[in-house]
Amino acid sequence: MRKVYHKIIQVAGNVITVEAENVAYNDLAEVTSKRGVSLAQVIRLQDNKVYLQVFAGSRGVSTNDEVRFLGKPMQISSSDNLLGRVFNGAGRPRDNRPEITEDLIEIGGPSVNPAKRIIPQRMVRTGIPMIDVFNSLVVSQKIPIFSVAGEPYNDLLARIAMQAEVDIIILGGMGLKYDDYLYFKNTLDEHGALSRSLMFIHTAADPIVECLLVPDVSLAVAESYALEGKDVLVLMTDMTNYSDALKEIAITMEQIPSNRGYPGDLYSQLAARYEKAVDFDDAGSITILAATTMPGDDVTHPVPDNTGYITEGQFYLKNGRIEPFGSLSRLKQQVNDKTRKDHRVIMDTMVRLYADYKSTCEKQSMGFQMTNWDNKLLKYGEMFESRMMDLSVNIPLEEALDLGWKTLAECFDKTETGIKTDFIKEFWPENA
Amino acid sequence: MLDNNRGHIVGINGNMITVRFDTFVTQNEVAFAIIGDKKLKCEVIRVNGNKADLQVFESTSGLKINDVIEFTDNLLSVELGPGLLTMVYDGLQNPLDNLAEESGFFLERGVYMQPLDRETKWEFTPTAKKDDKIKAGDYVGHVPEGIYTHYISFPFSAQGNWTITEIAESGEYTLDDIIGKAENEKGEVLEIKMVQNWPVKIPINAYKEKYLPEDTLITQQRIIDTFFPVAVGGTFCTPGPFGAGKTVLQHAISQHAQTDIVVIAACGERAGEVVEILKEFPHLEDPRTGKTLMERSIIICNTSSMPVAAREASVYTAVTMAEYYRQMGLNTLLLADSTSRWAQALREMSGRLEEIPGEEGFPAYLESLIAGFYERAGLVKLNNGESGSVTIGGSVSPAGGNFEEPVTQATLKVVGAFLGLSRERAEARRFPSIHPLDSWSKYNSIAAPEALETARKTLQRGNEVNQMMKVVGEEGTSIDDFMIYLKSEFIDSVYLQQNTFDSVDGATNEKRQKHMFDKVMNILKTEMKFEDKDSVRKFFMELRQLYIDWNYAKMGSNEFKELEQSIDRKLKESTNA
Ligand SMILES: Nc1ncnc2c1ncn2[C@@H]1O[C@H](COP(=O)(O)OP(=O)(O)O)[C@@H](O)[C@H]1O
Ligand SMILES: [Mg+2]
């Protein structure tokens, strides 16, 4: 390793500048300051000036401090020994156990050749009717939970992770509250899943630059496991914190903002990460479930907006429930014709009637007269909410479909549901 | 051209490098950054003194100050020749299937492959003869390419008048074989091959003149062909928020549009969506030719995680190929999903160049670039008097779904048809979610103008009544108004809405559309006598059910005829109630 040290000539935001030669773009350096040693990455080269983004932040960095270039870009171990461990965004252990340096791989690798992708078709069963019945989750899907802060999105992530039959779970925490981190850890422990999990955790108290590394290290490790044939589930929470970190860095770098201060490449940055989701032919897969909190419950905010353009749908969590409107699984049609033949019928009919229920509610609130039909809808809507939408419901898909028929039969006559006759004959419960 | 026109890197910022050059550079020329045994493709985008800014089409990771740059003196170009059809390329015309064979799962940087196969022999028939006078864009011969006769043009880049001095006999040749020679007055000799290069950012204009587009391009989507038509050689855009159905609509058009060639530019969006095309097109039959859809398609695929600079190039690569087939007298359709991603790529680069930003950070020249791109569409009269066309349809992904943003606005200024997709309609599952009141088209519909006007009025009035009903309730609405509302809902649900995923309803040809539209108009014009709202509502529900069933019946089948009779009978009920 080279032992050349360089003097810092400028400090701005989390970026320091040194004069050095023969430095490669994206390479790492070590910055030694009073606060200890931090990694830093080359983000710009200009003649003999090298701009470095300091992972631990520039606070306390002095012009006397020394910078040593490592001659390599950011790497992370992809060893199986990572399992059961907890790291920070820079890949350093957070659990007081030894560092792992074997099987190093680079982060942020090239994208998968579209010609080598396959059409996803394996359903992930979650036991949550709003997902399994109405917006099925599919292996290799990338899908966020859109929610306002305060909704139980982390609980939902953890629950899906526990229910999904995957080989490995990787949790990428960004700006995570310490309590939430402990919650994830305990949940994995309770379900005996710790030994097939690993975590890259950046908490709200950690340096912002490390937040930016979390998706890359998580996905690089996921990719190497997937190439070995493992089905990997990556949980990323909260991607809005990640985007805000991008915004902060962009502003200190004096980049021209595009929309509400976010950098113009927010879309490309998010896409580069989400597109790592993949189902490899003859190997494993990466499924990405993320949390995206929406400031002010506003889907048009740049973070959810750019996310929605990238991901394969979204689960819209509101008032502790997954809303049927605003939620979408763009991959559901790949799988929901291969489950049970009444799956799509129940999906379409129940949502349509729930929409009718919603307009009846509106009419009711305007003080218009309730007809017989309106009253049926009111009964149905409440049942739908408690039997299907309530997040405490945890039943297999088939049971949920049966419950769907039962609910319809309890509320309506056969002919009122608009269901094709052959399905009524086969599935309508007679003794309801 | 200099063999070793070189430069050295003096700055690196993301995918932009600044290079000090030794001799000269040309704006938009291709250069390569040398890194180990790899060469990374770049394009000169700004020159200042003896320094040039280059955008790199790959990750710049590992490049250093003083690394060598090789300039090529060639503008960013694509290869044009037989064999383009059925191909899947990235934004720089790298064949993705071949790359997969070479490098496996990932797109390794610095790997470039020949876009067109050099081994294949093509059955060439000359049409030009020795001593023929010839100029750019004239045909020298043709080869069969799948379902089409692929005309080999005299190079589009040839200036002035030439005389053929040699021409190959009929026979099998590869793309590298010289199939003819020509000489000009200055005594310069030009070798003719079946492949030629063309710089993507310059339109191919080796034709006589541009015509005004007139004929309707049949997309088989009723709301488009009847209400907001696209013209052969025209332009249209489909802006809409995420999830509104832009991609599904483009896929439907790419399958059902009555055009010879379709070039699909998957520009900066999800890779998974292209995969569906890649896997399905080879198995879907094109009813016009009886062959698979793949045989009339070229797919340019530079999805969101692929290099951003190549995304910018991809739309130009695509339109150049569309222009190339237009030169053969074919009608080509270019579908780009999404042009916003291309604009964003421009914005990213403009930011690195530290240009003064316009609205929302987009560069000030965004508008002229968008205009220049759509300007490449058109119906043209070729040198031989025949015509060919390029039609361009671009989806737009406005931030927050708000059409008042720079890309949508710049696009609306130049296109001939605006098909605005609405979130409300998508959420109400009214697909295709093109908004029937906000959208417009300057082109000719397949329906008669008067009938169209009546239908439009009904939709408008129906909407007004609906708004009013929300305030005064059904109780406070007159039966006549209520009937107008039901009529507008009827057109919407049986004609504007169409089930894309149904094999019959998903595509309605011109003849059927006209027939069905007449039927709808007949219903609109019918003076109906009803006593109360419940009976009108019931009548329309039943009529709608019959009509929807009719939509699903194959034209000409018994079922089709029977349902039509049922509809007519049902309609009679309304007049003698
Ligand atoms: N014509 C249609 N028929 C039925 N469903 C549709 C249709 N168009 C879109 N959808 C639904 O909406 C989803 C999003 O459509 P898509 O075209 O991907 O939207 P966009 O490209 O505007 O983001 C699809 O996955 C599908 O579920
Ligand atoms: Mg889309």
PDB file of all heavy atoms in Angstrom, chain A residues 25-26 45 47 111 113 267-268 305 308-311 330 334 366, chain B residues 10 12 14 62-63 96 105 107 243 268 270 341 348 398 400 470:
ATOM      1  N   TYR A  25     -10.517   8.220 -10.473  1.00  0.00           N
ATOM      2  CA  TYR A  25     -11.877   8.631 -10.149  1.00  0.00           C
ATOM      3  C   TYR A  25     -12.587   7.508  -9.407  1.00  0.00           C
ATOM      4  O   TYR A  25     -12.480   6.332  -9.763  1.00  0.00           O
ATOM      5  CB  TYR A  25     -12.625   8.972 -11.439  1.00  0.00           C
ATOM      6  CG  TYR A  25     -13.936   9.644 -11.184  1.00  0.00           C
ATOM      7  CD1 TYR A  25     -13.997  10.935 -10.696  1.00  0.00           C
ATOM      8  CD2 TYR A  25     -15.135   8.971 -11.413  1.00  0.00           C
ATOM      9  CE1 TYR A  25     -15.204  11.555 -10.443  1.00  0.00           C
ATOM     10  CE2 TYR A  25     -16.351   9.581 -11.170  1.00  0.00           C
ATOM     11  CZ  TYR A  25     -16.381  10.877 -10.676  1.00  0.00           C
ATOM     12  OH  TYR A  25     -17.575  11.486 -10.431  1.00  0.00           O
ATOM     13  N   ASN A  26     -13.310   7.877  -8.336  1.00  0.00           N
ATOM     14  CA  ASN A  26     -14.061   6.931  -7.490  1.00  0.00           C
ATOM     15  C   ASN A  26     -13.199   6.193  -6.470  1.00  0.00           C
ATOM     16  O   ASN A  26     -13.721   5.426  -5.670  1.00  0.00           O
ATOM     17  CB  ASN A  26     -14.819   5.880  -8.304  1.00  0.00           C
ATOM     18  CG  ASN A  26     -16.217   6.338  -8.650  1.00  0.00           C
ATOM     19  OD1 ASN A  26     -16.655   7.368  -8.144  1.00  0.00           O
ATOM     20  ND2 ASN A  26     -16.915   5.601  -9.497  1.00  0.00           N
ATOM     21  N   LEU A  45     -12.138  15.261 -10.115  1.00  0.00           N
ATOM     22  CA  LEU A  45     -10.715  15.513 -10.341  1.00  0.00           C
ATOM     23  C   LEU A  45     -10.601  16.730 -11.235  1.00  0.00           C
ATOM     24  O   LEU A  45     -11.324  16.860 -12.234  1.00  0.00           O
ATOM     25  CB  LEU A  45     -10.056  14.310 -11.033  1.00  0.00           C
ATOM     26  CG  LEU A  45      -9.927  13.027 -10.212  1.00  0.00           C
ATOM     27  CD1 LEU A  45      -9.581  11.855 -11.115  1.00  0.00           C
ATOM     28  CD2 LEU A  45      -8.878  13.183  -9.131  1.00  0.00           C
ATOM     29  N   ASP A  47      -7.351  18.974 -12.758  1.00  0.00           N
ATOM     30  CA  ASP A  47      -5.885  19.121 -12.781  1.00  0.00           C
ATOM     31  C   ASP A  47      -5.286  18.323 -11.621  1.00  0.00           C
ATOM     32  O   ASP A  47      -5.541  17.153 -11.518  1.00  0.00           O
ATOM     33  CB  ASP A  47      -5.498  20.601 -12.764  1.00  0.00           C
ATOM     34  CG  ASP A  47      -6.056  21.322 -13.989  1.00  0.00           C
ATOM     35  OD1 ASP A  47      -5.910  20.779 -15.098  1.00  0.00           O
ATOM     36  OD2 ASP A  47      -6.690  22.387 -13.849  1.00  0.00           O
ATOM     37  N   SER A 111     -25.005  -2.629 -14.926  1.00  0.00           N
ATOM     38  CA  SER A 111     -26.376  -3.136 -14.856  1.00  0.00           C
ATOM     39  C   SER A 111     -26.516  -4.411 -15.674  1.00  0.00           C
ATOM     40  O   SER A 111     -25.686  -4.740 -16.511  1.00  0.00           O
ATOM     41  CB  SER A 111     -27.374  -2.068 -15.288  1.00  0.00           C
ATOM     42  OG  SER A 111     -27.224  -1.784 -16.634  1.00  0.00           O
ATOM     43  N   ASN A 113     -27.739  -6.904 -18.386  1.00  0.00           N
ATOM     44  CA  ASN A 113     -28.138  -6.816 -19.792  1.00  0.00           C
ATOM     45  C   ASN A 113     -29.627  -7.186 -19.905  1.00  0.00           C
ATOM     46  O   ASN A 113     -30.014  -8.285 -19.513  1.00  0.00           O
ATOM     47  CB  ASN A 113     -27.283  -7.796 -20.599  1.00  0.00           C
ATOM     48  CG  ASN A 113     -27.528  -7.679 -22.093  1.00  0.00           C
ATOM     49  OD1 ASN A 113     -28.603  -7.254 -22.519  1.00  0.00           O
ATOM     50  ND2 ASN A 113     -26.531  -8.045 -22.877  1.00  0.00           N
ATOM     51  N   TYR A 267     -33.727  10.922 -10.320  1.00  0.00           N
ATOM     52  CA  TYR A 267     -34.336   9.770 -11.004  1.00  0.00           C
ATOM     53  C   TYR A 267     -33.287   8.714 -11.339  1.00  0.00           C
ATOM     54  O   TYR A 267     -33.447   7.539 -11.027  1.00  0.00           O
ATOM     55  CB  TYR A 267     -35.052  10.237 -12.279  1.00  0.00           C
ATOM     56  CG  TYR A 267     -35.592   9.107 -13.118  1.00  0.00           C
ATOM     57  CD1 TYR A 267     -36.850   8.572 -12.869  1.00  0.00           C
ATOM     58  CD2 TYR A 267     -34.839   8.559 -14.159  1.00  0.00           C
ATOM     59  CE1 TYR A 267     -37.343   7.531 -13.639  1.00  0.00           C
ATOM     60  CE2 TYR A 267     -35.316   7.516 -14.922  1.00  0.00           C
ATOM     61  CZ  TYR A 267     -36.574   7.007 -14.656  1.00  0.00           C
ATOM     62  OH  TYR A 267     -37.050   5.962 -15.424  1.00  0.00           O
ATOM     63  N   SER A 268     -32.183   9.142 -11.971  1.00  0.00           N
ATOM     64  CA  SER A 268     -31.153   8.175 -12.377  1.00  0.00           C
ATOM     65  C   SER A 268     -30.508   7.505 -11.173  1.00  0.00           C
ATOM     66  O   SER A 268     -30.197   6.314 -11.206  1.00  0.00           O
ATOM     67  CB  SER A 268     -30.066   8.869 -13.197  1.00  0.00           C
ATOM     68  OG  SER A 268     -30.624   9.428 -14.352  1.00  0.00           O
ATOM     69  N   ASP A 305     -42.662  10.716  -6.281  1.00  0.00           N
ATOM     70  CA  ASP A 305     -42.943  10.872  -7.705  1.00  0.00           C
ATOM     71  C   ASP A 305     -41.880  10.164  -8.548  1.00  0.00           C
ATOM     72  O   ASP A 305     -42.201   9.316  -9.390  1.00  0.00           O
ATOM     73  CB  ASP A 305     -43.003  12.360  -8.058  1.00  0.00           C
ATOM     74  CG  ASP A 305     -43.419  12.597  -9.511  1.00  0.00           C
ATOM     75  OD1 ASP A 305     -44.427  12.007  -9.928  1.00  0.00           O
ATOM     76  OD2 ASP A 305     -42.736  13.355 -10.211  1.00  0.00           O
ATOM     77  N   GLY A 308     -42.125   6.396  -8.055  1.00  0.00           N
ATOM     78  CA  GLY A 308     -43.235   5.741  -8.740  1.00  0.00           C
ATOM     79  C   GLY A 308     -42.951   5.504 -10.210  1.00  0.00           C
ATOM     80  O   GLY A 308     -43.455   4.544 -10.810  1.00  0.00           O
ATOM     81  N   TYR A 309     -42.151   6.381 -10.802  1.00  0.00           N
ATOM     82  CA  TYR A 309     -41.789   6.211 -12.208  1.00  0.00           C
ATOM     83  C   TYR A 309     -40.799   5.065 -12.406  1.00  0.00           C
ATOM     84  O   TYR A 309     -40.558   4.617 -13.513  1.00  0.00           O
ATOM     85  CB  TYR A 309     -41.168   7.502 -12.758  1.00  0.00           C
ATOM     86  CG  TYR A 309     -42.176   8.538 -13.228  1.00  0.00           C
ATOM     87  CD1 TYR A 309     -42.279   9.783 -12.621  1.00  0.00           C
ATOM     88  CD2 TYR A 309     -43.019   8.259 -14.301  1.00  0.00           C
ATOM     89  CE1 TYR A 309     -43.185  10.735 -13.071  1.00  0.00           C
ATOM     90  CE2 TYR A 309     -43.925   9.200 -14.751  1.00  0.00           C
ATOM     91  CZ  TYR A 309     -44.015  10.440 -14.139  1.00  0.00           C
ATOM     92  OH  TYR A 309     -44.906  11.360 -14.597  1.00  0.00           O
ATOM     93  N   ILE A 310     -40.157   4.644 -11.309  1.00  0.00           N
ATOM     94  CA  ILE A 310     -39.102   3.647 -11.413  1.00  0.00           C
ATOM     95  C   ILE A 310     -39.560   2.257 -10.965  1.00  0.00           C
ATOM     96  O   ILE A 310     -39.265   1.253 -11.597  1.00  0.00           O
ATOM     97  CB  ILE A 310     -37.895   4.074 -10.528  1.00  0.00           C
ATOM     98  CG1 ILE A 310     -37.262   5.347 -11.091  1.00  0.00           C
ATOM     99  CG2 ILE A 310     -36.880   2.953 -10.419  1.00  0.00           C
ATOM    100  CD1 ILE A 310     -36.382   6.081 -10.091  1.00  0.00           C
ATOM    101  N   THR A 311     -40.298   2.234  -9.852  1.00  0.00           N
ATOM    102  CA  THR A 311     -40.618   0.949  -9.241  1.00  0.00           C
ATOM    103  C   THR A 311     -41.769   0.268  -9.969  1.00  0.00           C
ATOM    104  O   THR A 311     -42.456   0.882 -10.784  1.00  0.00           O
ATOM    105  CB  THR A 311     -40.994   1.157  -7.771  1.00  0.00           C
ATOM    106  OG1 THR A 311     -42.022   2.147  -7.701  1.00  0.00           O
ATOM    107  CG2 THR A 311     -39.792   1.615  -6.970  1.00  0.00           C
ATOM    108  N   ARG A 330     -47.472  -3.692 -10.472  1.00  0.00           N
ATOM    109  CA  ARG A 330     -47.413  -3.764 -11.929  1.00  0.00           C
ATOM    110  C   ARG A 330     -47.110  -5.169 -12.417  1.00  0.00           C
ATOM    111  O   ARG A 330     -47.166  -5.428 -13.609  1.00  0.00           O
ATOM    112  CB  ARG A 330     -46.340  -2.813 -12.454  1.00  0.00           C
ATOM    113  CG  ARG A 330     -46.684  -1.355 -12.315  1.00  0.00           C
ATOM    114  CD  ARG A 330     -45.478  -0.517 -12.629  1.00  0.00           C
ATOM    115  NE  ARG A 330     -45.719   0.894 -12.372  1.00  0.00           N
ATOM    116  CZ  ARG A 330     -45.998   1.783 -13.325  1.00  0.00           C
ATOM    117  NH1 ARG A 330     -46.064   1.412 -14.570  1.00  0.00           N
ATOM    118  NH2 ARG A 330     -46.213   3.038 -13.019  1.00  0.00           N
ATOM    119  N   GLN A 334     -48.698 -11.090 -13.952  1.00  0.00           N
ATOM    120  CA  GLN A 334     -47.798 -12.195 -14.315  1.00  0.00           C
ATOM    121  C   GLN A 334     -48.111 -13.443 -13.491  1.00  0.00           C
ATOM    122  O   GLN A 334     -47.729 -14.546 -13.864  1.00  0.00           O
ATOM    123  CB  GLN A 334     -46.325 -11.834 -14.074  1.00  0.00           C
ATOM    124  CG  GLN A 334     -45.899 -10.485 -14.588  1.00  0.00           C
ATOM    125  CD  GLN A 334     -45.722 -10.466 -16.087  1.00  0.00           C
ATOM    126  OE1 GLN A 334     -46.065 -11.422 -16.769  1.00  0.00           O
ATOM    127  NE2 GLN A 334     -45.203  -9.370 -16.606  1.00  0.00           N
ATOM    128  N   MET A 366     -73.071  13.968   1.995  1.00  0.00           N
ATOM    129  CA  MET A 366     -73.734  15.137   1.417  1.00  0.00           C
ATOM    130  C   MET A 366     -75.198  15.203   1.859  1.00  0.00           C
ATOM    131  O   MET A 366     -75.927  16.123   1.494  1.00  0.00           O
ATOM    132  CB  MET A 366     -73.690  15.095  -0.110  1.00  0.00           C
ATOM    133  CG  MET A 366     -72.305  15.053  -0.710  1.00  0.00           C
ATOM    134  SD  MET A 366     -71.589  16.680  -0.914  1.00  0.00           S
ATOM    135  CE  MET A 366     -72.657  17.386  -2.165  1.00  0.00           C
TER     136      MET A 366
ATOM    137  N   VAL B  10      -7.791  16.261 -18.167  1.00  0.00           N
ATOM    138  CA  VAL B  10      -7.381  17.230 -17.145  1.00  0.00           C
ATOM    139  C   VAL B  10      -8.456  17.419 -16.070  1.00  0.00           C
ATOM    140  O   VAL B  10      -8.221  18.092 -15.067  1.00  0.00           O
ATOM    141  CB  VAL B  10      -7.021  18.611 -17.759  1.00  0.00           C
ATOM    142  CG1 VAL B  10      -5.795  18.493 -18.656  1.00  0.00           C
ATOM    143  CG2 VAL B  10      -8.199  19.193 -18.526  1.00  0.00           C
ATOM    144  N   ILE B  12     -12.226  15.338 -14.273  1.00  0.00           N
ATOM    145  CA  ILE B  12     -13.272  14.301 -14.304  1.00  0.00           C
ATOM    146  C   ILE B  12     -14.349  14.705 -13.312  1.00  0.00           C
ATOM    147  O   ILE B  12     -14.068  14.983 -12.145  1.00  0.00           O
ATOM    148  CB  ILE B  12     -12.722  12.916 -13.902  1.00  0.00           C
ATOM    149  CG1 ILE B  12     -11.518  12.543 -14.772  1.00  0.00           C
ATOM    150  CG2 ILE B  12     -13.820  11.859 -14.000  1.00  0.00           C
ATOM    151  CD1 ILE B  12     -10.863  11.238 -14.341  1.00  0.00           C
ATOM    152  N   GLY B  14     -18.118  13.144 -12.610  1.00  0.00           N
ATOM    153  CA  GLY B  14     -19.172  12.220 -13.001  1.00  0.00           C
ATOM    154  C   GLY B  14     -18.856  11.649 -14.364  1.00  0.00           C
ATOM    155  O   GLY B  14     -17.720  11.244 -14.622  1.00  0.00           O
ATOM    156  N   GLY B  62     -12.168   4.888 -12.108  1.00  0.00           N
ATOM    157  CA  GLY B  62     -10.821   4.403 -12.394  1.00  0.00           C
ATOM    158  C   GLY B  62     -10.036   5.268 -13.358  1.00  0.00           C
ATOM    159  O   GLY B  62      -8.820   5.107 -13.479  1.00  0.00           O
ATOM    160  N   LEU B  63     -10.684   6.188 -14.060  1.00  0.00           N
ATOM    161  CA  LEU B  63      -9.940   7.087 -14.947  1.00  0.00           C
ATOM    162  C   LEU B  63      -9.115   8.057 -14.104  1.00  0.00           C
ATOM    163  O   LEU B  63      -9.485   8.388 -12.975  1.00  0.00           O
ATOM    164  CB  LEU B  63     -10.902   7.881 -15.844  1.00  0.00           C
ATOM    165  CG  LEU B  63     -11.509   7.139 -17.035  1.00  0.00           C
ATOM    166  CD1 LEU B  63     -12.518   8.031 -17.745  1.00  0.00           C
ATOM    167  CD2 LEU B  63     -10.425   6.678 -18.009  1.00  0.00           C
ATOM    168  N   LEU B  96     -27.548  -6.258 -28.088  1.00  0.00           N
ATOM    169  CA  LEU B  96     -27.578  -6.772 -26.717  1.00  0.00           C
ATOM    170  C   LEU B  96     -27.483  -8.286 -26.634  1.00  0.00           C
ATOM    171  O   LEU B  96     -26.903  -8.826 -25.693  1.00  0.00           O
ATOM    172  CB  LEU B  96     -28.830  -6.267 -25.997  1.00  0.00           C
ATOM    173  CG  LEU B  96     -28.786  -4.771 -25.659  1.00  0.00           C
ATOM    174  CD1 LEU B  96     -30.095  -4.320 -25.016  1.00  0.00           C
ATOM    175  CD2 LEU B  96     -27.618  -4.448 -24.730  1.00  0.00           C
ATOM    176  N   PHE B 105     -24.268 -11.973 -17.848  1.00  0.00           N
ATOM    177  CA  PHE B 105     -25.386 -11.244 -17.247  1.00  0.00           C
ATOM    178  C   PHE B 105     -25.255  -9.726 -17.319  1.00  0.00           C
ATOM    179  O   PHE B 105     -26.229  -9.016 -17.430  1.00  0.00           O
ATOM    180  CB  PHE B 105     -25.519 -11.623 -15.770  1.00  0.00           C
ATOM    181  CG  PHE B 105     -26.164 -12.943 -15.553  1.00  0.00           C
ATOM    182  CD1 PHE B 105     -25.546 -13.935 -14.787  1.00  0.00           C
ATOM    183  CD2 PHE B 105     -27.416 -13.207 -16.095  1.00  0.00           C
ATOM    184  CE1 PHE B 105     -26.166 -15.152 -14.580  1.00  0.00           C
ATOM    185  CE2 PHE B 105     -28.042 -14.429 -15.884  1.00  0.00           C
ATOM    186  CZ  PHE B 105     -27.409 -15.408 -15.123  1.00  0.00           C
ATOM    187  N   LEU B 107     -23.640  -5.797 -18.339  1.00  0.00           N
ATOM    188  CA  LEU B 107     -23.153  -4.963 -19.427  1.00  0.00           C
ATOM    189  C   LEU B 107     -21.799  -4.416 -19.015  1.00  0.00           C
ATOM    190  O   LEU B 107     -21.702  -3.354 -18.406  1.00  0.00           O
ATOM    191  CB  LEU B 107     -24.142  -3.825 -19.695  1.00  0.00           C
ATOM    192  CG  LEU B 107     -25.487  -4.258 -20.257  1.00  0.00           C
ATOM    193  CD1 LEU B 107     -26.504  -3.135 -20.174  1.00  0.00           C
ATOM    194  CD2 LEU B 107     -25.331  -4.735 -21.698  1.00  0.00           C
ATOM    195  N   GLY B 243     -48.090   5.284 -13.726  1.00  0.00           N
ATOM    196  CA  GLY B 243     -49.225   4.399 -13.501  1.00  0.00           C
ATOM    197  C   GLY B 243     -50.448   4.753 -14.330  1.00  0.00           C
ATOM    198  O   GLY B 243     -51.478   4.094 -14.238  1.00  0.00           O
ATOM    199  N   GLY B 268     -34.594   5.058 -20.891  1.00  0.00           N
ATOM    200  CA  GLY B 268     -34.476   5.448 -19.494  1.00  0.00           C
ATOM    201  C   GLY B 268     -35.613   5.006 -18.605  1.00  0.00           C
ATOM    202  O   GLY B 268     -35.838   5.611 -17.567  1.00  0.00           O
ATOM    203  N   ARG B 270     -38.071   1.308 -17.192  1.00  0.00           N
ATOM    204  CA  ARG B 270     -37.789   0.006 -16.588  1.00  0.00           C
ATOM    205  C   ARG B 270     -37.307  -1.037 -17.600  1.00  0.00           C
ATOM    206  O   ARG B 270     -37.884  -1.175 -18.672  1.00  0.00           O
ATOM    207  CB  ARG B 270     -39.061  -0.547 -15.930  1.00  0.00           C
ATOM    208  CG  ARG B 270     -39.625   0.362 -14.891  1.00  0.00           C
ATOM    209  CD  ARG B 270     -40.942  -0.182 -14.360  1.00  0.00           C
ATOM    210  NE  ARG B 270     -41.568   0.815 -13.527  1.00  0.00           N
ATOM    211  CZ  ARG B 270     -42.372   1.773 -13.977  1.00  0.00           C
ATOM    212  NH1 ARG B 270     -42.673   1.829 -15.262  1.00  0.00           N
ATOM    213  NH2 ARG B 270     -42.869   2.655 -13.163  1.00  0.00           N
ATOM    214  N   ARG B 341     -37.013  11.176 -20.016  1.00  0.00           N
ATOM    215  CA  ARG B 341     -35.741  10.627 -19.522  1.00  0.00           C
ATOM    216  C   ARG B 341     -34.579  11.120 -20.380  1.00  0.00           C
ATOM    217  O   ARG B 341     -33.473  11.282 -19.904  1.00  0.00           O
ATOM    218  CB  ARG B 341     -35.787   9.102 -19.520  1.00  0.00           C
ATOM    219  CG  ARG B 341     -36.952   8.517 -18.776  1.00  0.00           C
ATOM    220  CD  ARG B 341     -36.987   8.968 -17.322  1.00  0.00           C
ATOM    221  NE  ARG B 341     -38.290   8.706 -16.734  1.00  0.00           N
ATOM    222  CZ  ARG B 341     -38.871   9.499 -15.841  1.00  0.00           C
ATOM    223  NH1 ARG B 341     -38.265  10.589 -15.422  1.00  0.00           N
ATOM    224  NH2 ARG B 341     -40.050   9.194 -15.348  1.00  0.00           N
ATOM    225  N   GLU B 348     -28.847  16.634 -16.816  1.00  0.00           N
ATOM    226  CA  GLU B 348     -27.709  16.205 -16.006  1.00  0.00           C
ATOM    227  C   GLU B 348     -26.406  16.715 -16.602  1.00  0.00           C
ATOM    228  O   GLU B 348     -25.528  17.210 -15.902  1.00  0.00           O
ATOM    229  CB  GLU B 348     -27.664  14.669 -15.900  1.00  0.00           C
ATOM    230  CG  GLU B 348     -28.710  14.120 -14.948  1.00  0.00           C
ATOM    231  CD  GLU B 348     -28.629  12.609 -14.795  1.00  0.00           C
ATOM    232  OE1 GLU B 348     -27.520  12.044 -14.873  1.00  0.00           O
ATOM    233  OE2 GLU B 348     -29.693  11.989 -14.596  1.00  0.00           O
ATOM    234  N   PRO B 398     -44.197  13.733 -16.851  1.00  0.00           N
ATOM    235  CA  PRO B 398     -44.031  15.020 -16.168  1.00  0.00           C
ATOM    236  C   PRO B 398     -43.901  14.833 -14.656  1.00  0.00           C
ATOM    237  O   PRO B 398     -44.590  13.997 -14.076  1.00  0.00           O
ATOM    238  CB  PRO B 398     -45.314  15.770 -16.514  1.00  0.00           C
ATOM    239  CG  PRO B 398     -46.296  14.725 -16.909  1.00  0.00           C
ATOM    240  CD  PRO B 398     -45.549  13.541 -17.391  1.00  0.00           C
ATOM    241  N   GLY B 400     -44.539  15.005 -11.020  1.00  0.00           N
ATOM    242  CA  GLY B 400     -45.774  15.195 -10.277  1.00  0.00           C
ATOM    243  C   GLY B 400     -47.029  15.094 -11.119  1.00  0.00           C
ATOM    244  O   GLY B 400     -48.116  15.441 -10.670  1.00  0.00           O
ATOM    245  N   LYS B 470     -73.251  16.255  -8.654  1.00  0.00           N
ATOM    246  CA  LYS B 470     -72.510  16.095  -7.412  1.00  0.00           C
ATOM    247  C   LYS B 470     -72.987  17.101  -6.362  1.00  0.00           C
ATOM    248  O   LYS B 470     -72.854  16.886  -5.170  1.00  0.00           O
ATOM    249  CB  LYS B 470     -71.014  16.280  -7.656  1.00  0.00           C
ATOM    250  CG  LYS B 470     -70.408  15.114  -8.393  1.00  0.00           C
ATOM    251  CD  LYS B 470     -68.906  15.030  -8.199  1.00  0.00           C
ATOM    252  CE  LYS B 470     -68.374  13.797  -8.884  1.00  0.00           C
ATOM    253  NZ  LYS B 470     -67.347  14.103  -9.870  1.00  0.00           N
TER     254      LYS B 470
END
